[in-house]
Amino acid sequence: MAFFFDKGIGPGWGVFYLQTPTNYHFATGGIRDRLFSYFYFMQDYQKRLVLSLLAYAIQKNIPLGDLCSASGLVLSELKNENSSAPTSQQINALWLNATRLSQDPLFGLHFGESMQVAALGVVGELIRYSRTIGEALTHATAFAHLITDWLTMEVVSGDQAFTIQFKLSTSRRAESPIVFRQMMNFFMAFTLHEVDGLVLGKIQPIKVAMPVNGEDLAEYERVLRCQSIQNSDKYEIEFDTRFWEEPILTADYELQAVLLRKISTLEETHRQTTSLSERITNYLLANAYLGVPTLDAIASNLNVSSRSLQRKLQEEGVTYQQLADSMRKSLALHYLQAGRHPVKEVSYILGYNELSAFNRAFRRWTGTTPVSYQKGRYLNTKTETA
């Protein structure tokens, strides 16, 4: 057996492992405890993703100083375990600047292709030590919310195939469409490539659905290993069921059990530190395709009474009506920007009984009517493509 050091970004950033003939195990004693605490239970997964992105940027010969400076980031602070997480504005700026400086419009897709599963910390290790591909994907979808608030994941199984569906944050999409596209490209590619090296062979999808520009189709087909990519607003990857039971070479039941116990602690901490309004917003985002539910429906889902839910939200200085209104606005902007639904249908999807009520709400949000907004978006698109 022997020790080896997995080096990361800059001096002092890496992980020690104890190598045995059959597997890799965490170093024992004080080193193990400190490293396990520092790396595998650093709860700020967004910081992990930022550091991984910076490491990939170095591989793409992007000047690290220029990238950090343009994005308002200080590398020494990112490497400090006690520093605060990058803000949403900094993360958005990082994606935009990395795409610009790399001169790669598919930066997110290629980043996802190259990133190792270990970069996800304890969630990545759980995937790595799973028994099968199906078990690994089950863990990945269950704990995706610990890694990102851009999406949630769901696995739908059938007789001949199983599909990974990505449920998107419409508010995030509206916030920065360019960054959203890069992030989704990243997650689509990473979901496929995260098991590379963990199984005997390369996993290939039957079908992929996602927004794809015609001129980039060949590169998407290469990275996603699929000749059947459907241009769609949805993000889905479909696999043959035979891959579900594909064994993972690094499977370790005992270590997996330890990781599951530890990650349950993360889950509980995440739940306790997340406000009720955030939990409700996350639920609305994950189920946006179902429209906006009533207060009673939300209360039932959270196993509390409607009165208790209202009281707890009041303590946080917000009402359910305000949360629902904000979600309706995000959904309305998304549907109208997409241009696939007439205004009357959008009104119905959002739960308005009368089109006039939707018109009044939309004017209050944006200062214009839904029809005018949709026409304006269409004209802007025509101008940009001319």
Side-chain angles (χ1 to χ4, degrees):
M1 65 180 64
F3 287 101
F4 72 93
F5 182 69
D6 185 13
K7 190 175 180 182
I9 303 175
W13 189 262
V15 184
F16 283 99
Y17 292 97
L18 180 65
Q19 184 177 4
T20 69
T22 57
N23 210 335
Y24 296 127
H25 296 276
F26 301 116
T28 57
I31 292 178
R32 175 201 62 190
D33 295 337
R34 289 195 300 273
L35 290 174
F36 206 80
S37 173
Y38 182 62
F39 291 98
Y40 292 97
F41 291 108
M42 184 174 73
Q43 296 180 28
D44 194 346
Y45 284 94
Q46 287 190 335
K47 187 185 292 185
R48 279 185 169 277
L49 186 58
V50 165
L51 287 166
S52 296
L53 192 155
L54 291 175
Y56 178 67
I58 294 173
Q59 296 178 32
K60 299 281 284 187
N61 297 317
I62 299 175
L64 195 58
D66 293 349
L67 179 56
C68 288
S69 177
S71 307
L73 295 169
V74 179
L75 186 58
S76 59
E77 292 182 1
L78 287 172
K79 291 162 58 178
N80 183 348
E81 61 177 307
N82 297 315
S83 65
S84 58
T87 65
S88 295
Q89 290 79 5
Q90 288 173 319
I91 293 174
N92 287 352
L94 178 62
W95 278 98
L96 289 171
N97 288 312
T99 302
R100 174 178 59 83
L101 292 172
S102 68
Q103 298 182 356
D104 179 8
L106 300 180
F107 179 88
L109 187 75
H110 296 140
F111 176 32
E113 180 186 21
S114 70
M115 197 174 92
Q116 301 297 308
V117 70
L120 295 183
V122 66
V123 176
E125 292 304 301
L126 188 57
I127 293 170
R128 186 179 173 194
Y129 294 116
S130 295
R131 184 178 59 86
T132 64
I133 292 293
E135 192 174 85
L137 288 173
T138 300
H139 291 320
T141 55
F143 301 117
H145 64 280
L146 293 176
I147 300 168
T148 179
D149 60 353
W150 287 76
L151 56 86
T152 58
M153 297 167 62
E154 182 178 337
V155 177
V156 179
S157 298
D159 293 335
Q160 304 297 323
F162 65 92
T163 303
I164 303 174
Q165 298 179 342
F166 297 81
K167 308 298 183 181
L168 313 179
S169 165
T170 52
S171 61
R172 284 292 200 179
R173 178 184 294 199
E175 180 182 309
S176 179
I178 296 175
V179 173
F180 184 85
R181 177 172 180 256
Q182 294 293 340
M183 285 283 283
M184 290 309 304
N185 280 351
F186 163 77
F187 279 112
M188 292 287 282
F190 178 67
T191 299
L192 177 64
H193 288 270
E194 64 183 340
V195 294
D196 283 354
L198 302 183
V199 295
L200 291 174
K202 292 184 177 180
I203 306 299
Q204 291 183 290
I206 299 173
K207 185 170 60 178
V208 171
M210 65 185 300
V212 178
N213 294 326
E215 62 269 23
D216 298 324
L217 181 59
E219 183 62 2
Y220 278 99
E221 290 176 344
R222 183 193 70 80
V223 173
L224 299 177
R225 302 173 185 155
C226 183
Q227 299 300 308
S228 179
I229 298 182
Q230 175 187 355
N231 186 22
S232 169
D233 282 343
K234 297 179 180 179
Y235 286 85
E236 298 180 348
I237 308 178
E238 183 179 315
F239 298 93
D240 191 292
T241 50
R242 64 188 172 88
F243 288 125
W244 188 261
E245 294 298 330
E246 183 76 21
I248 290 180
L249 302 177
T250 52
D252 188 317
Y253 180 79
E254 291 184 2
L255 189 52
Q256 184 193 53
V258 172
L259 290 167
L260 280 171
R261 287 197 295 271
K262 295 296 185 180
I263 206 170
S264 66
T265 304
L266 279 180
E267 276 275 76
E268 180 62 19
T269 302
H270 181 269
R271 188 188 66 79
Q272 291 178 357
T273 56
T274 302
S275 67
L276 178 61
S277 58
E278 287 180 286
R279 290 167 61 194
I280 291 175
T281 298
N282 290 337
Y283 177 85
L284 293 175
L285 289 173
N287 297 277
Y289 63 100
L290 297 175
V292 180
T294 64
L295 172 66
D296 291 340
I298 282 288
S300 176
N301 180 269
L302 297 175
N303 295 317
V304 297
S305 68
S306 299
R307 183 171 296 181
S308 294
L309 187 144
Q310 287 177 307
R311 184 176 64 253
K312 290 178 181 179
L313 286 176
Q314 189 174 19
E315 292 172 358
E316 296 180 11
V318 69
T319 66
Y320 178 68
Q321 182 58 43
Q322 289 173 325
L323 296 176
D325 206 42
S326 176
M327 180 55 57
R328 285 192 178 97
K329 176 184 176 182
S330 296
L331 288 173
L333 293 174
H334 165 64
Y335 287 132
L336 293 174
Q337 288 170 7
R340 296 177 180 269
H341 302 280
V343 171
K344 189 173 182 179
E345 188 174 336
V346 173
S347 174
Y348 175 78
I349 292 172
L350 298 180
Y352 289 95
N353 294 325
E354 305 252 344
L355 180 59
S356 58
F358 175 51
N359 286 334
R360 287 194 299 272
F362 195 85
R363 185 181 289 276
R364 174 164 49 84
W365 298 330
T366 65
T368 188
T369 65
V371 172
S372 298
Y373 179 83
Q374 197 170 48
K375 285 181 178 178
R377 289 287 304 178
Y378 173 75
L379 291 175
N380 288 337
T381 302
K382 291 285 285 184
T383 302
E384 291 170 2
T385 55

